Amino acid sequence: MQSWIKIDQHSDFSIYNLPFGVFSESDHIKRIGVAIGDQVLDLYAAFELGIFKDVDFDVKVLESDSLNDFIALGKSTTVKVRELIQAELCTANSVLKSHPSVFIKQSSVQMHLPVKVGDYTDFYSSIEHATNIGTMFRDPDNALLPNWKHLPVGYHGRASSIIVSGENVYRPKGQVVLDPNAPPSFQASTRVDFELEMGFIIGKSTKLGDSVSTETAEEYIFGKILFNDWSARDIQKWEYVPLGPFLAKSFASSMSPWVVTLEALEPFKISGPTQQPAVLPYLSFEGSKNYDIQLEVSIQPKNCQETVVSQSNFKYMYWNMNQQLAHHTVNGCNLNVGDLMASGTISGKRSDSYGSMLELSWAGSKPVELTEGGTRKFIEDNDTVIMRGHCQKGAIRVGFGAVKSTLLKAK
Ligand code: CA
């Protein structure tokens, strides 16, 4: 495929990608756009030029503050829209080429949260991450709890505090235990951490009582984003027993602005780790359901260069998205368009592929060195955490851009 648009070969937003997002210019009117190279294609303006005339939908869904109504049109429409855009961008006499104003530089737009997230679920599906945490806090010989290899462990998170890349996060305050023999203190967390995750956006609703099988799960997934699930380890340690994470997680999670469709990721499917013991029939699946997505995390202190502190890959996930969705709905819990399911921290086997500072600094015992001097055990005030991800196969690159947020001093 060759586009008439000039696209850098290292761009995440190649002709093979075409992710969807919500943007605005100086008039602040939010519209749906598609990223191509370093530009945004304004889909509302493209609609007015008639490129979607063979697809039946209301232009109103393209002048919206979220992708929800567009996604709700269903894959029969959204896949067609993406294919029409791809065809126009490869056709030398396209009407888009003679109307350059439908393209806007990414550097001159503001990106917004791409979806209105109704419900947010966070899984815990990396065996390396779960093993590291179990080793650190429980028993190195029995790091995984008895349920871990039988079901994709998860919890219901907080949707109201999900923010888009570029928005910043205040250091949270809460109860922490400084001395195990004394009552807890109330203070700003001193162990703020990132969690390298990816999330998927639900593209099709289900009715209460219905379940989604591993076989049909992909019909229900619109696309994927990068996700930093900010965590306060000291608050978490005290509060999480017996019901799991609460205020240690709910203060913020950051999301990348471009939703990469499952169709764009199809060429990067790969088989996942062997699951032993065998899973129950409702969690079994056929074919390759993992994805080869290279991930990295950088820390950038104020006025300093970035240091890459972790290089991981989404392919390491023990539980795949199909299994997560089958498990999530097996009890009849319904899904809504725009719901977000996050993977859980994505760690690899090597110590430089761990997806959190808790693991990288091994609970603070091994500080991580920064390129311009200094070290980090956890995230400090005014540090910016940047996560990036992309797939590469030969000359074909499909990427996610970045999710970037700065940790601000406690309010
Ligand atoms: Ca998490």
Side-chain angles (χ1 to χ4, degrees):
M1 245 185 298
Q2 190 64 48
S3 175
W4 44 266
I5 295 236
K6 228 181 168 177
I7 305 163
D8 187 279
Q9 58 166 337
H10 300 297
S11 173
D12 279 352
F13 307 121
S14 68
I15 189 68
Y16 301 96
N17 191 351
L18 306 177
F20 294 89
V22 176
F23 74 99
S24 64
E25 293 180 89
S26 50
D27 60 8
H28 301 296
I29 298 171
K30 292 176 185 168
R31 303 195 295 288
I32 308 301
V34 156
I36 179 77
D38 60 358
Q39 307 189 76
V40 179
L41 170 62
D42 179 345
L43 292 200
Y44 187 88
F47 185 102
E48 302 283 283
L49 293 175
I51 74 163
F52 305 128
K53 62 181 187 308
D54 294 337
V55 204
D56 184 25
F57 69 96
D58 193 332
V59 68
K60 270 193 215 147
V61 304
L62 300 175
E63 194 176 69
S64 173
D65 59 1
S66 80
L67 292 173
N68 294 47
D69 291 344
F70 175 70
I71 294 172
L73 295 172
K75 285 209 190 201
S76 57
T77 300
T78 58
V79 168
K80 192 95 190 280
V81 164
R82 186 170 159 272
E83 285 170 358
L84 284 169
I85 295 165
Q86 206 164 40
E88 288 291 335
L89 293 174
C90 293
T91 304
N93 60 354
S94 167
V95 65
L96 298 180
K97 198 173 177 183
S98 48
H99 292 80
S101 65
V102 300
F103 296 98
I104 306 138
K105 279 262 178 213
Q106 278 168 26
S107 55
S108 66
V109 302
Q110 187 181 349
M111 295 306 297
H112 304 276
L113 201 61
V115 283
K116 244 186 229 119
V117 179
D119 278 301
Y120 153 46
T121 299
D122 196 19
F123 286 96
Y124 187 57
S125 287
S126 151
I127 194 164
E128 288 81 8
H129 173 68
T131 304
N132 284 340
I133 301 304
T135 302
M136 253 183 268
F137 294 111
R138 284 186 304 270
D139 175 5
D141 297 323
N142 273 305
L144 295 178
L145 288 167
N147 61 4
W148 202 90
K149 285 188 169 180
H150 293 281
L151 54 84
V153 169
Y155 72 97
H156 291 295
R158 183 82 193 157
S160 68
S161 53
I162 296 175
I163 56 176
V164 71
S165 177
E167 283 189 67
N168 299 326
V169 176
Y170 289 100
R171 180 180 294 276
K173 290 179 279 195
Q175 289 196 19
V176 300
V177 173
L178 302 173
D179 172 358
N181 300 311
S185 310
F186 176 76
Q187 62 170 60
S189 167
T190 58
R191 295 192 151 205
V192 176
D193 200 354
F194 59 77
E195 287 190 336
L196 169 63
E197 302 197 19
M198 297 201 76
F200 64 90
I201 309 288
I202 294 299
K204 186 176 170 182
S205 302
T206 62
K207 289 198 181 73
L208 193 63
D210 287 351
S211 304
V212 173
S213 67
T214 56
E215 207 179 345
T216 59
E218 284 151 56
E219 292 170 26
Y220 294 82
I221 302 173
F222 177 74
K224 291 184 66 61
I225 46 97
L226 298 167
F227 196 67
N228 178 358
D229 187 27
W230 292 92
S231 301
R233 302 301 181 192
D234 39 6
I235 296 172
Q236 185 178 358
K237 199 176 175 188
W238 170 236
E239 75 171 4
Y240 89 101
V241 182
L243 289 186
F246 190 36
L247 305 186
K249 303 277 186 174
S250 63
F251 62 97
S253 305
S254 307
M255 185 198 275
S256 57
W258 293 108
V259 184
V260 176
T261 64
L262 218 53
E263 289 70 37
L265 296 170
E266 187 65 25
F268 307 100
K269 271 186 167 166
I270 191 171
S271 43
T274 306
Q275 297 183 327
Q276 203 49 257
V279 297
L280 284 166
Y282 82 93
L283 290 170
S284 67
F285 64 96
E286 280 174 23
S288 297
K289 300 296 179 198
N290 278 41
Y291 292 82
D292 185 0
I293 305 173
Q294 297 171 47
L295 300 167
E296 69 169 41
V297 187
S298 292
I299 296 176
Q300 183 175 31
K302 197 176 184 176
N303 303 322
C304 289
Q305 285 173 8
E306 290 179 29
T307 300
V308 175
V309 294
S310 176
Q311 285 183 307
S312 188
N313 195 305
F314 189 61
K315 71 182 177 189
Y316 300 142
M317 300 309 290
Y318 188 85
W319 296 102
N320 59 54
M321 295 186 284
N322 301 54
Q323 293 178 307
Q324 290 171 337
L325 212 44
H327 185 65
H328 202 298
T329 58
V330 76
N331 66 347
C333 173
N334 51 330
L335 304 169
N336 286 312
V337 167
D339 286 354
L340 172 71
M341 312 275 167
S343 57
T345 308
I346 306 161
S347 293
K349 282 192 171 45
R350 290 164 46 126
S351 59
D352 58 358
S353 65
Y354 295 164
S356 65
M357 289 305 286
L358 180 64
E359 295 162 272
L360 291 165
S361 76
W362 209 254
S365 65
K366 292 182 196 164
V368 174
E369 307 232 343
L370 301 182
T371 41
E372 282 194 59
T375 58
R376 288 292 182 277
K377 295 175 178 170
F378 292 94
I379 304 303
E380 295 190 359
D381 288 348
N382 303 312
D383 282 353
T384 300
V385 176
I386 305 154
M387 296 176 178
R388 297 185 176 88
H390 76 275
C391 310
Q392 184 92 44
K393 204 173 202 177
I396 300 179
R397 183 175 169 120
V398 169
F400 290 80
V403 56
K404 184 172 176 175
S405 290
T406 302
L407 181 67
L408 305 174
K409 197 165 150 272
K411 254 192 176 177

